[in-house]
Amino acid sequence: MSKQTEWIEEKTIRQLQNALAKGETTSRELVLTYLKRIADIDASGPKLNAIIEVNPDALYIADKLDAQRKAGKVYGSLHGIPVVIKDNVDTQDRMHTSAGSLLLKDHVAKADAFVVEQLRKSGAIILAKTNLTEWANFIAEDMPTGYSSRGGQTINPYGKSFIVGGSSAGSGAAVAANLATAGVGTETSGSILSPASQNSLVGIKPTVGLISRSGIVPISITQDTAGPMTRTVEDGAILLNVLNGEDENDPITSTSPF
């Protein structure tokens, strides 16, 4: 790994925000560094297959956020921070939402999922979509964990002999390998907690209703939720506070006391 990319390893949201505020780095530099790591580790080298698609507008978004920071406009705790999200979460941009299926490889969402809206409001850069167990592991009982027909097999960055966990395998492997600062996964039963534990991460499955389910490919109306996947507890708390909120398109969010 080159020295150009080594410095970003294991940096927290707070550390990166401090560096951005002091002018020690820029969001453009963060995006370029993560893209190099994706090229060196994910697309070649160990070939983790954690990333299913990179946002073609990531650098443009980073430049815009850098300019706004310079002008004294900082949107929130994730301003200029690159985040990856699972490929079953809708984004209204030039990325596709396929749930890992070749059937939906050309599908582009008509609107952002509520959690993506929350990320954008906080200034996050949606760096990439992550691979997953296809259809969030709702296709076959013996489905290989972390495998999708669109993205192939995700590999645990700690070694091929280790299970990567699923279904949010790509988010887990990407954050563990420092391909982004933080990630978003989704869970029905174990799909955040499993890859978080297998990749030495903090994974949070919130009580249903804390985070909106609108714009996320569903499995179970009583169990589905999105949640943070991060390297530290503090980063998990920061991301959780960004993702939660009341959404009129998901009435259960109005029942949450938080």
Side-chain angles (χ1 to χ4, degrees):
M1 185 59 58
S2 72
K3 290 183 179 179
Q4 289 179 320
T5 62
E6 282 179 351
W7 73 271
I8 204 171
E9 293 182 20
E10 303 302 302
K11 291 295 187 292
T12 67
I13 293 171
R14 185 188 296 273
Q15 288 172 326
L16 291 179
Q17 285 292 8
N18 287 339
L20 288 165
K22 293 176 181 178
E24 295 173 352
T25 189
T26 64
S27 293
R28 165 174 270 267
E29 290 174 349
L30 294 183
V31 168
L32 285 172
T33 302
Y34 283 127
L35 289 177
K36 181 165 183 8
R37 290 186 66 85
I38 290 170
D40 290 346
I41 298 174
D42 200 66
S44 58
K47 293 186 178 179
L48 300 179
N49 276 339
I51 304 299
I52 205 166
E53 184 173 0
V54 170
N55 187 349
D57 298 320
L59 281 173
Y60 166 76
I61 296 168
D63 287 340
K64 184 177 179 181
L65 290 167
D66 281 336
Q68 290 168 335
R69 182 184 293 274
K70 192 173 181 179
K73 299 177 182 177
V74 176
Y75 289 131
S77 58
L78 296 181
H79 189 106
I81 301 296
V83 175
V84 292
I85 62 173
K86 192 174 177 179
D87 185 42
N88 62 345
V89 181
D90 285 342
T91 56
Q92 188 187 24
D93 51 25
R94 291 199 290 163
M95 290 189 290
H96 301 87
T97 303
S98 71
S101 173
L102 285 173
L103 182 67
L104 296 179
K105 66 182 177 62
D106 298 319
H107 171 253
V108 178
K110 295 180 180 179
D112 280 339
F114 183 83
V115 294
V116 174
E117 291 179 0
Q118 295 292 87
L119 287 168
R120 296 196 202 277
K121 286 178 184 177
S122 189
I125 300 168
I126 311 299
L127 181 66
K129 291 286 190 76
T130 56
N131 200 10
L132 66 154
T133 312
E134 189 165 338
W135 294 105
N137 203 19
F138 202 64
I139 190 170
E141 288 186 0
D142 57 351
M143 188 74 174
T145 180
Y147 174 81
S148 74
S149 58
R150 183 181 175 214
Q153 179 64 54
T154 302
I155 302 299
N156 189 315
Y158 288 97
K160 292 183 179 180
S161 62
F162 297 105
I163 297 170
V164 70
S167 63
S168 304
S171 293
V175 175
N178 289 272
L179 306 183
T181 310
V184 175
T186 66
E187 173 161 338
T188 301
S189 179
S191 287
I192 290 173
L193 302 184
S194 166
S197 65
Q198 295 292 343
N199 291 277
S200 298
L201 300 177
V202 175
I204 302 173
K205 181 190 180 180
T207 300
V208 174
L210 183 65
I211 295 177
S212 171
R213 302 163 297 180
S214 65
I216 300 174
V217 178
I219 294 180
S220 168
I221 195 171
T222 60
Q223 292 176 254
D224 288 353
T225 184
M229 300 181 72
T230 59
R231 290 186 294 274
T232 69
V233 172
E234 182 183 58
D235 281 1
I238 291 171
L239 188 51
L240 183 67
N241 283 332
V242 168
L243 296 176
N244 74 53
E246 187 172 348
D247 176 17
E248 63 180 12
N249 292 316
D250 188 0
I252 198 172
T253 58
S254 65
T255 67
S256 173
F258 305 106

